[in-house]
Amino acid sequence: MPEEVRIVYPDQLYPKRVMGSYLRTFNIAKLASEKFKTSIFGIASELYENEKCGVHVIQEKKYENFTTKLKHFSDGLFSDNYSLMDSKTVFKDFIPENTIFQIESPMVYNMLKKRKIENYILDEHNVYWEFSKFPNFDLKNKIYTKLAFKRDKNIEIKAIKNASHILTCSESDKIKIVEEIPETDDKITVIPNCVDFKEYDNYKWVKQNKNGFTVLFMGLLSYQPNTDAVYSICNKIAPEFGENVQFKIIGKNPPKINHPNNVKFLGYVEDVKEHILNSDICIAPLRYGSGTRLKLLEYMAMGKPVITTSKGAEGIDYINNKNIIIENDINKFSGIITELMVDETIRNNLGKNAKILIKNSYDWKIYQKDLFNVYEEVLNENN
């Protein structure tokens, strides 16, 4: 039997969700598939199975019936053994010494524990206990965080402590984990979020002829740091401009918020690259968050000038004012946008240098060897 990687992603895989977490998981799976038999297991309201880019994609139903749904929600609030999914397919017909299990959230640790899987990799997309520090705009999330934060942090710490190896998106996330759990220092590998650079560099689309300027922000808008950024755009940045400067916001679940006429919510879009290409400036006024923001890498891969905060650019090895502009005072974003609008040379230089940075440091292929080394190490532990 060939050596294989089984990746557990406790969320929807089909229809495809253009989210940072999904893109990270799928691109790591594509890298793995060049050496290992690779599968991703997810959950949603419908069954799905297919082969995509050499990766076997399997989606199970989240709930078998009303009883299992009720139990899931009850466990979500009260059980120390809570897991975001409880799959049987993940553990079907595997050979322990040949199989690497990789979980994409600490909140499926209890599923592995239940099956006595001791050697696994945790891909820690975020340091999730940090989320309690974020402003929460959703009442249900606020109640859940209040009730379940301590339990969830305990599960996350157990998942980290017991993992054979941990992947993080940034050096800063690694530091946060080691500060809390010092003994993990020698079993963490930083695999930053990346892009397939050629896919963005070779992107072809007819550029729109338009008057005025377009400023773009995108992300999952129900994620608290992105929701906070939308409030900043609508209340502090966009009102400083007339309708000749259009702010386009891409993403599912936009907050219900009063906004000026020059702010347009586009919702989910099939191809974000088209909108990045047709923007003049891209922004990420993020005050909170964890991991590396894939949106910034996408902006930069397409040669766009980017304005963000030091928190927004966390995990990216940038040079301020060369390949990105860093400004932590959200009130100053509008002034920087104005300066870029009137100086095409600065815009072009920022975009050109941003593209070079992504090509040289944030293409997935650069980290394939590091990933394979981690997999080989875990396989050796299995034997």
Side-chain angles (χ1 to χ4, degrees):
M1 288 288 288
E3 295 170 336
E4 64 172 316
V5 177
R6 297 190 176 193
I7 299 175
V8 181
Y9 179 77
D11 209 332
Q12 178 180 309
L13 295 169
Y14 177 85
K16 182 178 72 171
R17 301 181 74 188
V18 185
M19 296 170 56
S21 60
Y22 169 85
L23 293 171
R24 175 178 174 84
T25 297
F26 191 76
N27 278 292
I28 284 178
K30 283 201 297 184
L31 291 181
S33 70
E34 295 187 19
K35 186 171 183 179
F36 304 93
K37 179 183 176 184
T38 304
S39 305
I40 305 176
F41 299 83
I43 51 169
S45 58
E46 60 181 293
L47 296 171
Y48 176 78
E49 187 168 354
N50 205 349
E51 197 83 15
K52 184 180 177 185
C53 301
V55 178
H56 194 189
V57 178
I58 306 162
Q59 181 168 279
E60 302 175 59
K61 279 198 170 184
K62 191 169 186 177
Y63 312 113
E64 292 180 5
N65 49 49
F66 179 76
T67 303
T68 57
K69 184 175 183 178
L70 190 64
K71 184 177 186 307
H72 177 85
F73 280 100
S74 175
D75 288 350
L77 290 176
F78 304 113
S79 175
D80 290 337
N81 294 315
Y82 176 60
S83 175
L84 281 172
M85 64 187 288
D86 188 16
S87 168
K88 297 180 178 66
T89 309
V90 171
F91 306 101
K92 188 178 179 182
D93 299 330
F94 77 95
I95 299 175
E97 59 269 24
N98 280 11
T99 306
I100 302 161
F101 287 96
Q102 179 172 310
I103 57 175
E104 301 299 296
S105 166
M107 297 307 292
V108 290
Y109 161 71
N110 280 320
M111 182 177 73
L112 268 64
K113 180 183 173 185
K114 181 179 174 182
R115 269 91 176 172
K116 296 182 170 54
I117 304 296
E118 295 182 352
N119 292 335
Y120 64 90
I121 294 166
L122 169 62
D123 187 6
E124 186 82 330
H125 292 223
N126 300 280
V127 180
Y128 292 95
W129 66 69
E130 293 276 303
F131 282 21
S132 66
K133 301 174 184 177
F134 304 164
N136 208 321
F137 299 93
D138 183 87
L139 182 60
K140 286 191 294 185
N141 285 340
K142 193 177 290 188
I143 293 169
Y144 176 85
T145 299
K146 189 173 181 65
L147 292 173
F149 168 71
K150 287 185 180 177
R151 188 277 312 273
D152 288 357
K153 183 175 180 181
N154 286 336
I155 292 174
E156 184 172 9
I157 287 174
K158 286 179 183 176
I160 291 169
K161 282 185 173 180
N162 292 309
S164 301
H165 208 93
I166 301 139
L167 307 179
T168 64
C169 297
S170 69
E171 191 65 34
S172 61
D173 279 1
K174 176 179 178 178
I175 290 168
K176 289 171 191 171
I177 292 171
V178 172
E179 284 175 349
E180 183 85 19
I181 316 166
E183 64 269 28
T184 60
D185 189 24
D186 61 351
K187 65 172 186 176
I188 299 177
T189 297
V190 178
I191 305 282
N193 283 332
C194 295
V195 294
D196 181 345
F197 179 77
K198 286 183 180 178
E199 181 183 327
Y200 290 82
D201 189 42
N202 295 334
Y203 184 76
K204 303 297 181 190
W205 196 265
V206 178
K207 243 189 149 178
Q208 297 170 358
N209 292 318
K210 57 187 177 62
N211 296 318
F213 268 72
T214 300
V215 181
L216 180 69
F217 174 74
M218 63 187 193
L220 177 64
L221 302 183
S222 57
Y223 175 54
Q224 301 102 298
N226 289 337
T227 308
D228 182 69
V230 168
Y231 274 79
S232 293
I233 292 168
C234 292
N235 294 324
K236 296 181 178 180
I237 303 173
E240 297 297 314
F241 298 92
E243 293 195 27
N244 65 313
V245 181
Q246 290 289 310
F247 289 78
K248 293 186 177 180
I249 300 177
I250 293 174
K252 291 179 67 176
N253 305 317
K256 294 177 181 177
I257 178 177
N258 291 326
H259 56 85
N261 292 333
N262 62 340
V263 173
K264 307 295 181 189
F265 288 94
L266 304 184
Y268 169 81
V269 300
E270 186 66 34
D271 189 356
V272 297
K273 291 189 286 298
E274 174 192 348
H275 292 275
I276 298 172
L277 179 68
N278 284 296
S279 66
D280 298 292
I281 299 167
C282 298
I283 62 173
L286 295 162
R287 301 189 299 156
Y288 311 93
S290 185
T292 305
R293 282 84 195 161
L294 184 63
K295 63 176 80 58
L296 265 69
L297 304 179
E298 293 181 288
Y299 298 157
M300 297 168 79
M302 296 194 77
K304 295 298 173 179
V306 176
I307 311 166
T308 188
T309 61
S310 54
K311 174 56 72 173
E314 201 170 71
I316 299 175
D317 190 17
Y318 61 82
I319 298 175
N320 192 14
N321 294 315
K322 179 180 179 181
N323 36 45
I324 198 168
I325 294 178
I326 304 297
E327 178 51 68
N328 290 323
D329 185 348
I330 304 299
N331 294 308
K332 294 182 179 179
F333 267 57
S334 55
I336 298 170
I337 291 170
T338 300
E339 291 172 9
L340 291 179
M341 284 170 55
V342 300
D343 199 324
E344 185 179 7
T345 300
I346 293 177
R347 291 201 312 273
N348 290 341
N349 286 339
L350 279 167
K352 181 181 70 175
N353 291 329
K355 202 166 186 174
I356 291 169
L357 176 64
I358 300 306
K359 180 180 180 181
N360 292 340
S361 300
Y362 295 98
D363 186 289
W364 281 114
K365 279 288 187 183
I366 296 169
Y367 297 92
Q368 188 171 47
K369 184 178 178 182
D370 291 339
L371 186 68
F372 286 175
N373 288 341
V374 171
Y375 288 162
E376 294 295 346
E377 181 182 312
V378 174
L379 283 170
N380 288 337
E381 289 183 22
N382 287 348
N383 294 286

